[in-house]
Amino acid sequence: MISLNKLKKILTVTLLILTLAFAQVITNAQSAIADTATTPATATAAEVFSANCAGCHINGSNIIRRGKNLKQKALKKYGMDSIANISNLVTNGKGIMPAYKDRLSEKQIIDVSAYVLSQAEIDWK
């Protein structure tokens, strides 16, 4: 018979594995979508965000890691409260977030970074 503590550990590990697998599926899906569709150079920052970011960050949230959202408090907490820092993250990616340097122009990255900051200021309304 399995003890309650052992069962909790098994469930915790299983949940972690499923979460990581889901994150990988989302990342792969985003890459596949981005590879087959290009964002027009004339797209607005909101359109660039919608086409490239909203899959994980709809309304400034984060469907993969809840705490690493695009709300003003989280942006400040993680040092992402400037266009330069957000642009660097979008350009190069980090962790499970993919890099967009090969998918978006430098101007689009800067514009979408400014868009994120402006939306955070109004709490993504």
Side-chain angles (χ1 to χ4, degrees):
M1 181 172 222
I2 297 177
S3 71
L4 184 58
N5 283 339
K6 194 168 193 169
L7 183 60
K8 284 181 182 179
K9 287 180 184 178
I10 291 169
L11 290 173
T12 300
V13 169
T14 302
L15 182 59
L16 178 60
I17 291 168
L18 289 172
T19 301
L20 292 172
F22 178 72
Q24 188 61 46
V25 167
I26 293 293
T27 301
N28 290 346
Q30 285 181 322
S31 294
I33 290 167
D35 290 343
T36 59
T38 58
T39 305
T42 58
T44 67
E47 291 169 333
V48 171
F49 183 88
S50 180
N52 296 279
C53 312
C56 289
H57 294 290
I58 187 132
N59 296 324
S61 64
N62 185 328
I63 67 166
I64 307 296
R65 296 193 62 197
R66 215 175 328 163
K68 296 230 174 164
N69 58 59
L70 304 178
K71 307 290 181 163
Q72 200 165 37
K73 183 178 177 181
L75 292 175
K76 286 183 182 185
K77 178 179 179 180
Y78 295 108
M80 292 294 142
D81 52 349
S82 72
I83 292 173
N85 289 352
I86 294 171
S87 293
N88 183 52
L89 180 62
V90 173
T91 300
N92 300 305
K94 183 177 180 183
I96 62 173
M97 181 174 160
Y100 285 85
K101 63 185 167 200
D102 296 332
R103 302 176 202 174
L104 300 174
S105 70
E106 187 176 334
K107 180 180 182 339
Q108 287 174 319
I109 291 173
I110 291 168
D111 289 350
V112 82
S113 299
Y115 174 79
V116 166
L117 285 178
S118 70
Q119 289 301 298
E121 288 176 8
I122 61 170
D123 201 27
W124 290 87
K125 293 180 181 174

Short mmCIF file of all heavy atoms in Angstrom, two decimals, residues 55-122:
data_model
loop_
_atom_site.label_atom_id
_atom_site.label_comp_id
_atom_site.label_asym_id
_atom_site.label_seq_id
_atom_site.Cartn_x
_atom_site.Cartn_y
_atom_site.Cartn_z
N GLY A 55 -0.96 34.39 -27.67
CA GLY A 55 -1.17 32.97 -27.44
C GLY A 55 -0.82 32.57 -26.01
O GLY A 55 -1.49 31.74 -25.40
N CYS A 56 0.21 33.16 -25.47
CA CYS A 56 0.62 32.89 -24.08
C CYS A 56 0.29 34.06 -23.16
O CYS A 56 0.14 33.88 -21.95
CB CYS A 56 2.12 32.62 -24.00
SG CYS A 56 2.60 31.04 -24.71
N HIS A 57 0.21 35.27 -23.71
CA HIS A 57 0.07 36.48 -22.88
C HIS A 57 -1.23 37.23 -23.15
O HIS A 57 -1.25 38.46 -23.17
CB HIS A 57 1.26 37.41 -23.14
CG HIS A 57 2.57 36.87 -22.69
ND1 HIS A 57 2.90 36.71 -21.37
CD2 HIS A 57 3.63 36.41 -23.41
CE1 HIS A 57 4.12 36.20 -21.27
NE2 HIS A 57 4.58 36.01 -22.50
N ILE A 58 -2.32 36.53 -23.33
CA ILE A 58 -3.59 37.19 -23.60
C ILE A 58 -3.95 38.13 -22.44
O ILE A 58 -3.83 37.76 -21.28
CB ILE A 58 -4.72 36.18 -23.89
CG1 ILE A 58 -5.98 36.91 -24.32
CG2 ILE A 58 -5.01 35.30 -22.72
CD1 ILE A 58 -6.60 36.35 -25.55
N ASN A 59 -4.30 39.35 -22.79
CA ASN A 59 -4.65 40.37 -21.80
C ASN A 59 -3.57 40.58 -20.74
O ASN A 59 -3.86 40.90 -19.60
CB ASN A 59 -5.99 40.07 -21.13
CG ASN A 59 -7.13 40.10 -22.11
OD1 ASN A 59 -7.14 40.92 -23.04
ND2 ASN A 59 -8.07 39.19 -21.96
N GLY A 60 -2.32 40.35 -21.13
CA GLY A 60 -1.21 40.57 -20.21
C GLY A 60 -0.97 39.45 -19.22
O GLY A 60 -0.10 39.55 -18.37
N SER A 61 -1.71 38.36 -19.34
CA SER A 61 -1.51 37.25 -18.42
C SER A 61 -0.39 36.36 -18.94
O SER A 61 0.33 36.72 -19.86
CB SER A 61 -2.81 36.46 -18.27
OG SER A 61 -3.16 35.88 -19.52
N ASN A 62 -0.23 35.21 -18.35
CA ASN A 62 0.75 34.23 -18.82
C ASN A 62 0.16 32.85 -18.56
O ASN A 62 -0.01 32.45 -17.42
CB ASN A 62 2.08 34.38 -18.09
CG ASN A 62 3.16 33.48 -18.63
OD1 ASN A 62 2.90 32.38 -19.10
ND2 ASN A 62 4.39 33.93 -18.55
N ILE A 63 -0.18 32.13 -19.62
CA ILE A 63 -0.84 30.84 -19.45
C ILE A 63 0.14 29.74 -19.04
O ILE A 63 -0.29 28.68 -18.60
CB ILE A 63 -1.61 30.41 -20.71
CG1 ILE A 63 -0.66 30.12 -21.87
CG2 ILE A 63 -2.67 31.42 -21.09
CD1 ILE A 63 -1.31 29.39 -23.02
N ILE A 64 1.43 29.99 -19.15
CA ILE A 64 2.43 29.00 -18.80
C ILE A 64 2.92 29.20 -17.36
O ILE A 64 2.94 28.28 -16.57
CB ILE A 64 3.65 29.04 -19.77
CG1 ILE A 64 3.20 28.93 -21.23
CG2 ILE A 64 4.66 27.96 -19.42
CD1 ILE A 64 2.54 27.64 -21.61
N ARG A 65 3.32 30.43 -17.04
CA ARG A 65 3.83 30.75 -15.70
C ARG A 65 3.08 31.98 -15.21
O ARG A 65 3.42 33.11 -15.55
CB ARG A 65 5.33 31.00 -15.75
CG ARG A 65 6.07 29.73 -16.17
CD ARG A 65 7.52 29.79 -15.96
NE ARG A 65 7.85 29.96 -14.56
CZ ARG A 65 9.04 30.36 -14.15
NH1 ARG A 65 9.98 30.63 -15.00
NH2 ARG A 65 9.29 30.48 -12.87
N ARG A 66 2.08 31.73 -14.40
CA ARG A 66 1.16 32.77 -13.96
C ARG A 66 1.85 34.03 -13.43
O ARG A 66 1.45 35.14 -13.74
CB ARG A 66 0.23 32.21 -12.89
CG ARG A 66 -1.13 32.76 -12.95
CD ARG A 66 -2.08 32.12 -11.98
NE ARG A 66 -1.77 30.72 -11.75
CZ ARG A 66 -2.22 30.03 -10.73
NH1 ARG A 66 -2.99 30.59 -9.86
NH2 ARG A 66 -1.92 28.77 -10.58
N GLY A 67 2.88 33.86 -12.62
CA GLY A 67 3.54 35.00 -12.00
C GLY A 67 4.36 35.84 -12.96
O GLY A 67 4.62 37.01 -12.72
N LYS A 68 4.77 35.26 -14.08
CA LYS A 68 5.58 35.98 -15.06
C LYS A 68 4.68 36.57 -16.15
O LYS A 68 4.83 36.30 -17.32
CB LYS A 68 6.64 35.06 -15.66
CG LYS A 68 7.63 34.59 -14.62
CD LYS A 68 9.01 34.79 -15.08
CE LYS A 68 9.97 34.45 -13.95
NZ LYS A 68 11.30 34.27 -14.43
N ASN A 69 3.75 37.39 -15.70
CA ASN A 69 2.80 38.00 -16.62
C ASN A 69 3.30 39.37 -17.06
O ASN A 69 4.42 39.76 -16.73
CB ASN A 69 1.41 38.06 -15.97
CG ASN A 69 1.45 38.85 -14.68
OD1 ASN A 69 1.81 40.01 -14.64
ND2 ASN A 69 1.08 38.19 -13.57
N LEU A 70 2.48 40.07 -17.80
CA LEU A 70 2.86 41.38 -18.32
C LEU A 70 2.15 42.52 -17.59
O LEU A 70 1.98 43.60 -18.14
CB LEU A 70 2.57 41.44 -19.82
CG LEU A 70 3.24 40.35 -20.66
CD1 LEU A 70 2.85 40.48 -22.12
CD2 LEU A 70 4.75 40.36 -20.49
N LYS A 71 1.77 42.26 -16.36
CA LYS A 71 1.15 43.30 -15.54
C LYS A 71 2.27 44.17 -14.96
O LYS A 71 3.42 43.73 -14.82
CB LYS A 71 0.34 42.68 -14.40
CG LYS A 71 -0.68 41.64 -14.85
CD LYS A 71 -1.83 42.24 -15.58
CE LYS A 71 -2.80 41.13 -15.97
NZ LYS A 71 -4.08 41.54 -16.32
N GLN A 72 1.94 45.39 -14.63
CA GLN A 72 2.95 46.36 -14.20
C GLN A 72 3.77 45.85 -13.00
O GLN A 72 5.00 45.97 -12.98
CB GLN A 72 2.29 47.69 -13.87
CG GLN A 72 3.26 48.84 -13.88
CD GLN A 72 2.54 50.17 -13.93
OE1 GLN A 72 1.49 50.34 -13.33
NE2 GLN A 72 3.10 51.11 -14.65
N LYS A 73 3.11 45.26 -12.02
CA LYS A 73 3.80 44.78 -10.82
C LYS A 73 4.85 43.72 -11.18
O LYS A 73 5.98 43.76 -10.70
CB LYS A 73 2.78 44.20 -9.83
CG LYS A 73 3.37 43.75 -8.54
CD LYS A 73 2.29 43.24 -7.58
CE LYS A 73 2.88 42.72 -6.30
NZ LYS A 73 1.85 42.22 -5.40
N ALA A 74 4.49 42.77 -12.04
CA ALA A 74 5.42 41.71 -12.44
C ALA A 74 6.55 42.27 -13.31
O ALA A 74 7.71 41.86 -13.16
CB ALA A 74 4.68 40.59 -13.18
N LEU A 75 6.22 43.19 -14.20
CA LEU A 75 7.26 43.78 -15.05
C LEU A 75 8.32 44.46 -14.18
O LEU A 75 9.52 44.30 -14.42
CB LEU A 75 6.65 44.78 -16.03
CG LEU A 75 5.76 44.19 -17.13
CD1 LEU A 75 5.13 45.31 -17.96
CD2 LEU A 75 6.52 43.22 -18.01
N LYS A 76 7.89 45.20 -13.17
CA LYS A 76 8.83 45.86 -12.26
C LYS A 76 9.62 44.83 -11.46
O LYS A 76 10.84 44.94 -11.32
CB LYS A 76 8.09 46.82 -11.33
CG LYS A 76 7.65 48.08 -12.02
CD LYS A 76 7.00 49.05 -11.08
CE LYS A 76 6.55 50.27 -11.88
NZ LYS A 76 6.01 51.31 -11.04
N LYS A 77 8.93 43.82 -10.95
CA LYS A 77 9.58 42.78 -10.14
C LYS A 77 10.72 42.10 -10.89
O LYS A 77 11.76 41.81 -10.31
CB LYS A 77 8.54 41.74 -9.71
CG LYS A 77 9.11 40.61 -8.89
CD LYS A 77 8.03 39.62 -8.48
CE LYS A 77 8.61 38.47 -7.70
NZ LYS A 77 7.57 37.51 -7.30
N TYR A 78 10.52 41.83 -12.17
CA TYR A 78 11.51 41.11 -12.95
C TYR A 78 12.41 42.02 -13.80
O TYR A 78 13.12 41.55 -14.66
CB TYR A 78 10.81 40.07 -13.85
CG TYR A 78 10.14 39.00 -13.01
CD1 TYR A 78 8.76 38.95 -12.91
CD2 TYR A 78 10.90 38.06 -12.32
CE1 TYR A 78 8.14 37.98 -12.13
CE2 TYR A 78 10.28 37.09 -11.53
CZ TYR A 78 8.91 37.06 -11.44
OH TYR A 78 8.31 36.10 -10.66
N GLY A 79 12.35 43.34 -13.53
CA GLY A 79 13.22 44.27 -14.24
C GLY A 79 12.86 44.43 -15.71
O GLY A 79 13.70 44.78 -16.53
N MET A 80 11.60 44.20 -16.03
CA MET A 80 11.14 44.31 -17.42
C MET A 80 10.25 45.54 -17.59
O MET A 80 9.28 45.53 -18.33
CB MET A 80 10.35 43.05 -17.82
CG MET A 80 11.19 41.82 -17.91
SD MET A 80 12.35 41.97 -19.26
CE MET A 80 13.77 41.19 -18.56
N ASP A 81 10.60 46.61 -16.90
CA ASP A 81 9.78 47.82 -16.94
C ASP A 81 10.41 48.92 -17.80
O ASP A 81 10.26 50.10 -17.55
CB ASP A 81 9.49 48.33 -15.53
CG ASP A 81 10.74 48.50 -14.67
OD1 ASP A 81 11.83 48.03 -15.08
OD2 ASP A 81 10.63 49.11 -13.59
N SER A 82 11.12 48.48 -18.85
CA SER A 82 11.65 49.43 -19.83
C SER A 82 11.57 48.82 -21.21
O SER A 82 11.57 47.59 -21.36
CB SER A 82 13.11 49.78 -19.51
OG SER A 82 13.95 48.68 -19.80
N ILE A 83 11.48 49.67 -22.20
CA ILE A 83 11.43 49.20 -23.59
C ILE A 83 12.69 48.40 -23.91
O ILE A 83 12.62 47.35 -24.55
CB ILE A 83 11.24 50.38 -24.57
CG1 ILE A 83 9.85 50.98 -24.38
CG2 ILE A 83 11.44 49.93 -26.01
CD1 ILE A 83 9.60 52.26 -25.18
N ALA A 84 13.84 48.86 -23.44
CA ALA A 84 15.11 48.17 -23.73
C ALA A 84 15.11 46.75 -23.18
O ALA A 84 15.51 45.80 -23.88
CB ALA A 84 16.27 48.96 -23.17
N ASN A 85 14.67 46.58 -21.94
CA ASN A 85 14.70 45.25 -21.33
C ASN A 85 13.68 44.30 -21.96
O ASN A 85 13.98 43.13 -22.19
CB ASN A 85 14.49 45.35 -19.83
CG ASN A 85 15.68 45.96 -19.12
OD1 ASN A 85 16.73 46.18 -19.72
ND2 ASN A 85 15.53 46.26 -17.85
N ILE A 86 12.49 44.82 -22.24
CA ILE A 86 11.48 43.98 -22.90
C ILE A 86 11.95 43.62 -24.30
O ILE A 86 11.84 42.46 -24.72
CB ILE A 86 10.10 44.69 -22.93
CG1 ILE A 86 9.56 44.87 -21.51
CG2 ILE A 86 9.11 43.88 -23.77
CD1 ILE A 86 8.33 45.73 -21.42
N SER A 87 12.50 44.60 -25.02
CA SER A 87 13.00 44.34 -26.37
C SER A 87 14.07 43.27 -26.38
O SER A 87 14.09 42.40 -27.26
CB SER A 87 13.55 45.62 -27.00
OG SER A 87 12.53 46.55 -27.22
N ASN A 88 14.96 43.31 -25.40
CA ASN A 88 16.02 42.31 -25.30
C ASN A 88 15.41 40.91 -25.09
O ASN A 88 15.84 39.94 -25.71
CB ASN A 88 16.99 42.65 -24.17
CG ASN A 88 18.13 41.68 -24.10
OD1 ASN A 88 18.81 41.41 -25.09
ND2 ASN A 88 18.35 41.13 -22.92
N LEU A 89 14.42 40.82 -24.22
CA LEU A 89 13.77 39.54 -23.95
C LEU A 89 13.03 39.03 -25.18
O LEU A 89 13.14 37.85 -25.55
CB LEU A 89 12.79 39.68 -22.77
CG LEU A 89 12.04 38.42 -22.38
CD1 LEU A 89 12.99 37.34 -21.91
CD2 LEU A 89 11.03 38.74 -21.29
N VAL A 90 12.30 39.91 -25.85
CA VAL A 90 11.56 39.51 -27.06
C VAL A 90 12.56 39.10 -28.15
O VAL A 90 12.35 38.10 -28.84
CB VAL A 90 10.64 40.65 -27.55
CG1 VAL A 90 10.01 40.30 -28.89
CG2 VAL A 90 9.55 40.95 -26.52
N THR A 91 13.63 39.83 -28.30
CA THR A 91 14.63 39.55 -29.33
C THR A 91 15.30 38.19 -29.10
O THR A 91 15.39 37.38 -30.02
CB THR A 91 15.71 40.65 -29.36
OG1 THR A 91 15.07 41.89 -29.66
CG2 THR A 91 16.77 40.35 -30.40
N ASN A 92 15.75 37.95 -27.87
CA ASN A 92 16.58 36.78 -27.59
C ASN A 92 15.86 35.63 -26.91
O ASN A 92 16.41 34.52 -26.82
CB ASN A 92 17.79 37.21 -26.75
CG ASN A 92 18.62 38.23 -27.49
OD1 ASN A 92 19.05 37.99 -28.61
ND2 ASN A 92 18.81 39.39 -26.88
N GLY A 93 14.66 35.88 -26.39
CA GLY A 93 13.95 34.84 -25.66
C GLY A 93 14.64 34.53 -24.34
O GLY A 93 15.71 35.05 -24.04
N LYS A 94 14.00 33.66 -23.55
CA LYS A 94 14.60 33.24 -22.28
C LYS A 94 13.77 32.08 -21.75
O LYS A 94 12.54 32.14 -21.75
CB LYS A 94 14.60 34.39 -21.27
CG LYS A 94 15.27 34.04 -19.96
CD LYS A 94 15.30 35.23 -19.03
CE LYS A 94 15.97 34.84 -17.73
NZ LYS A 94 15.97 35.95 -16.78
N GLY A 95 14.43 31.05 -21.31
CA GLY A 95 13.71 29.89 -20.80
C GLY A 95 12.82 29.30 -21.88
O GLY A 95 13.29 29.04 -22.99
N ILE A 96 11.54 29.15 -21.59
CA ILE A 96 10.62 28.57 -22.57
C ILE A 96 10.07 29.60 -23.55
O ILE A 96 9.41 29.24 -24.52
CB ILE A 96 9.47 27.80 -21.90
CG1 ILE A 96 8.63 28.71 -21.04
CG2 ILE A 96 10.00 26.61 -21.14
CD1 ILE A 96 7.38 28.04 -20.49
N MET A 97 10.37 30.89 -23.30
CA MET A 97 9.92 31.92 -24.24
C MET A 97 10.88 31.94 -25.43
O MET A 97 12.08 32.12 -25.27
CB MET A 97 9.88 33.29 -23.59
CG MET A 97 9.39 34.35 -24.56
SD MET A 97 9.17 35.94 -23.79
CE MET A 97 9.20 36.97 -25.24
N PRO A 98 10.34 31.78 -26.64
CA PRO A 98 11.22 31.76 -27.82
C PRO A 98 11.72 33.15 -28.18
O PRO A 98 11.14 34.17 -27.80
CB PRO A 98 10.30 31.21 -28.91
CG PRO A 98 8.92 31.58 -28.48
CD PRO A 98 8.94 31.54 -26.97
N ALA A 99 12.80 33.18 -28.92
CA ALA A 99 13.34 34.43 -29.47
C ALA A 99 12.55 34.82 -30.71
O ALA A 99 12.13 33.96 -31.48
CB ALA A 99 14.81 34.25 -29.82
N TYR A 100 12.37 36.10 -30.91
CA TYR A 100 11.63 36.59 -32.06
C TYR A 100 12.50 37.39 -33.03
O TYR A 100 11.99 37.99 -33.96
CB TYR A 100 10.43 37.44 -31.59
CG TYR A 100 9.33 36.58 -31.03
CD1 TYR A 100 9.34 36.17 -29.71
CD2 TYR A 100 8.30 36.14 -31.85
CE1 TYR A 100 8.34 35.35 -29.20
CE2 TYR A 100 7.30 35.33 -31.36
CZ TYR A 100 7.33 34.94 -30.03
OH TYR A 100 6.34 34.12 -29.56
N LYS A 101 13.81 37.36 -32.84
CA LYS A 101 14.70 38.14 -33.71
C LYS A 101 14.64 37.73 -35.17
O LYS A 101 14.90 38.54 -36.04
CB LYS A 101 16.13 38.08 -33.19
CG LYS A 101 16.75 36.72 -33.18
CD LYS A 101 18.12 36.74 -32.55
CE LYS A 101 18.59 35.33 -32.28
NZ LYS A 101 19.64 35.32 -31.29
N ASP A 102 14.28 36.48 -35.43
CA ASP A 102 14.19 36.01 -36.81
C ASP A 102 12.77 36.13 -37.38
O ASP A 102 12.55 35.83 -38.54
CB ASP A 102 14.66 34.56 -36.92
CG ASP A 102 16.12 34.41 -36.57
OD1 ASP A 102 16.89 35.38 -36.77
OD2 ASP A 102 16.51 33.33 -36.09
N ARG A 103 11.83 36.53 -36.54
CA ARG A 103 10.42 36.61 -36.96
C ARG A 103 9.90 38.04 -37.08
O ARG A 103 8.97 38.29 -37.83
CB ARG A 103 9.54 35.87 -35.97
CG ARG A 103 9.92 34.43 -35.80
CD ARG A 103 9.08 33.79 -34.75
NE ARG A 103 9.77 32.61 -34.24
CZ ARG A 103 9.37 31.89 -33.24
NH1 ARG A 103 8.27 32.21 -32.61
NH2 ARG A 103 10.05 30.85 -32.85
N LEU A 104 10.48 38.92 -36.28
CA LEU A 104 10.02 40.31 -36.25
C LEU A 104 11.19 41.24 -36.54
O LEU A 104 12.33 40.94 -36.19
CB LEU A 104 9.44 40.65 -34.86
CG LEU A 104 8.24 39.83 -34.39
CD1 LEU A 104 7.89 40.19 -32.96
CD2 LEU A 104 7.05 40.04 -35.31
N SER A 105 10.86 42.39 -37.12
CA SER A 105 11.90 43.39 -37.35
C SER A 105 12.25 44.06 -36.03
O SER A 105 11.50 43.99 -35.05
CB SER A 105 11.41 44.43 -38.35
OG SER A 105 10.40 45.24 -37.76
N GLU A 106 13.38 44.75 -36.01
CA GLU A 106 13.78 45.48 -34.81
C GLU A 106 12.72 46.51 -34.44
O GLU A 106 12.39 46.67 -33.26
CB GLU A 106 15.14 46.16 -35.05
CG GLU A 106 15.71 46.80 -33.81
CD GLU A 106 17.10 47.38 -34.03
OE1 GLU A 106 17.82 46.91 -34.93
OE2 GLU A 106 17.45 48.32 -33.29
N LYS A 107 12.17 47.19 -35.44
CA LYS A 107 11.12 48.18 -35.19
C LYS A 107 9.88 47.53 -34.58
O LYS A 107 9.28 48.06 -33.65
CB LYS A 107 10.76 48.93 -36.48
CG LYS A 107 9.67 49.99 -36.25
CD LYS A 107 9.32 50.71 -37.51
CE LYS A 107 8.30 51.80 -37.36
NZ LYS A 107 7.42 51.81 -36.25
N GLN A 108 9.48 46.38 -35.10
CA GLN A 108 8.31 45.69 -34.55
C GLN A 108 8.56 45.28 -33.11
O GLN A 108 7.66 45.38 -32.27
CB GLN A 108 7.97 44.46 -35.39
CG GLN A 108 7.35 44.79 -36.72
CD GLN A 108 7.17 43.56 -37.59
OE1 GLN A 108 8.04 42.69 -37.67
NE2 GLN A 108 6.02 43.48 -38.27
N ILE A 109 9.75 44.83 -32.80
CA ILE A 109 10.08 44.43 -31.42
C ILE A 109 10.02 45.63 -30.49
O ILE A 109 9.45 45.56 -29.40
CB ILE A 109 11.46 43.73 -31.38
CG1 ILE A 109 11.35 42.36 -32.07
CG2 ILE A 109 11.94 43.58 -29.93
CD1 ILE A 109 12.66 41.63 -32.25
N ILE A 110 10.59 46.75 -30.92
CA ILE A 110 10.54 47.97 -30.10
C ILE A 110 9.10 48.44 -29.93
O ILE A 110 8.67 48.79 -28.83
CB ILE A 110 11.44 49.07 -30.70
CG1 ILE A 110 12.90 48.66 -30.57
CG2 ILE A 110 11.18 50.42 -30.04
CD1 ILE A 110 13.87 49.52 -31.36
N ASP A 111 8.34 48.43 -31.02
CA ASP A 111 6.94 48.86 -30.95
C ASP A 111 6.11 47.97 -30.03
O ASP A 111 5.30 48.47 -29.24
CB ASP A 111 6.31 48.89 -32.35
CG ASP A 111 6.85 50.01 -33.22
OD1 ASP A 111 7.57 50.90 -32.70
OD2 ASP A 111 6.56 50.00 -34.44
N VAL A 112 6.29 46.66 -30.13
CA VAL A 112 5.50 45.76 -29.29
C VAL A 112 5.94 45.89 -27.83
O VAL A 112 5.13 45.76 -26.92
CB VAL A 112 5.53 44.31 -29.80
CG1 VAL A 112 6.76 43.54 -29.37
CG2 VAL A 112 4.28 43.55 -29.37
N SER A 113 7.21 46.18 -27.60
CA SER A 113 7.70 46.40 -26.23
C SER A 113 7.05 47.64 -25.62
O SER A 113 6.61 47.62 -24.46
CB SER A 113 9.22 46.54 -26.22
OG SER A 113 9.83 45.37 -26.72
N ALA A 114 6.97 48.72 -26.40
CA ALA A 114 6.29 49.94 -25.94
C ALA A 114 4.81 49.66 -25.72
O ALA A 114 4.21 50.17 -24.75
CB ALA A 114 6.49 51.06 -26.96
N TYR A 115 4.22 48.86 -26.58
CA TYR A 115 2.80 48.49 -26.44
C TYR A 115 2.58 47.75 -25.11
O TYR A 115 1.62 48.04 -24.39
CB TYR A 115 2.38 47.62 -27.62
CG TYR A 115 0.98 47.07 -27.51
CD1 TYR A 115 -0.13 47.86 -27.80
CD2 TYR A 115 0.76 45.75 -27.12
CE1 TYR A 115 -1.42 47.35 -27.69
CE2 TYR A 115 -0.52 45.23 -27.02
CZ TYR A 115 -1.60 46.03 -27.30
OH TYR A 115 -2.88 45.52 -27.20
N VAL A 116 3.45 46.82 -24.80
CA VAL A 116 3.33 46.07 -23.53
C VAL A 116 3.37 47.02 -22.35
O VAL A 116 2.54 46.94 -21.44
CB VAL A 116 4.44 44.99 -23.42
CG1 VAL A 116 4.55 44.45 -22.01
CG2 VAL A 116 4.18 43.85 -24.40
N LEU A 117 4.32 47.96 -22.35
CA LEU A 117 4.40 48.93 -21.25
C LEU A 117 3.16 49.80 -21.17
O LEU A 117 2.64 50.04 -20.07
CB LEU A 117 5.65 49.80 -21.40
CG LEU A 117 6.98 49.16 -21.06
CD1 LEU A 117 8.12 50.14 -21.31
CD2 LEU A 117 7.00 48.68 -19.62
N SER A 118 2.67 50.25 -22.30
CA SER A 118 1.48 51.11 -22.29
C SER A 118 0.25 50.36 -21.80
O SER A 118 -0.57 50.91 -21.07
CB SER A 118 1.23 51.73 -23.66
OG SER A 118 0.81 50.76 -24.60
N GLN A 119 0.12 49.10 -22.18
CA GLN A 119 -1.01 48.30 -21.73
C GLN A 119 -0.90 47.98 -20.23
O GLN A 119 -1.90 47.97 -19.52
CB GLN A 119 -1.12 47.01 -22.53
CG GLN A 119 -1.56 47.20 -23.97
CD GLN A 119 -2.92 47.88 -24.03
OE1 GLN A 119 -3.92 47.34 -23.56
NE2 GLN A 119 -2.96 49.06 -24.61
N ALA A 120 0.32 47.75 -19.77
CA ALA A 120 0.52 47.49 -18.34
C ALA A 120 0.10 48.70 -17.51
O ALA A 120 -0.47 48.54 -16.43
CB ALA A 120 1.97 47.12 -18.07
N GLU A 121 0.38 49.89 -18.02
CA GLU A 121 0.02 51.12 -17.31
C GLU A 121 -1.48 51.26 -17.13
O GLU A 121 -1.93 51.85 -16.16
CB GLU A 121 0.58 52.34 -18.03
CG GLU A 121 2.08 52.48 -17.92
CD GLU A 121 2.63 53.64 -18.72
OE1 GLU A 121 1.83 54.45 -19.27
OE2 GLU A 121 3.87 53.74 -18.82
N ILE A 122 -2.26 50.72 -18.06
CA ILE A 122 -3.72 50.81 -17.94
C ILE A 122 -4.34 49.47 -17.55
O ILE A 122 -5.53 49.24 -17.75
CB ILE A 122 -4.36 51.37 -19.24
CG1 ILE A 122 -4.06 50.47 -20.44
CG2 ILE A 122 -3.93 52.81 -19.48
CD1 ILE A 122 -4.85 50.83 -21.69
#
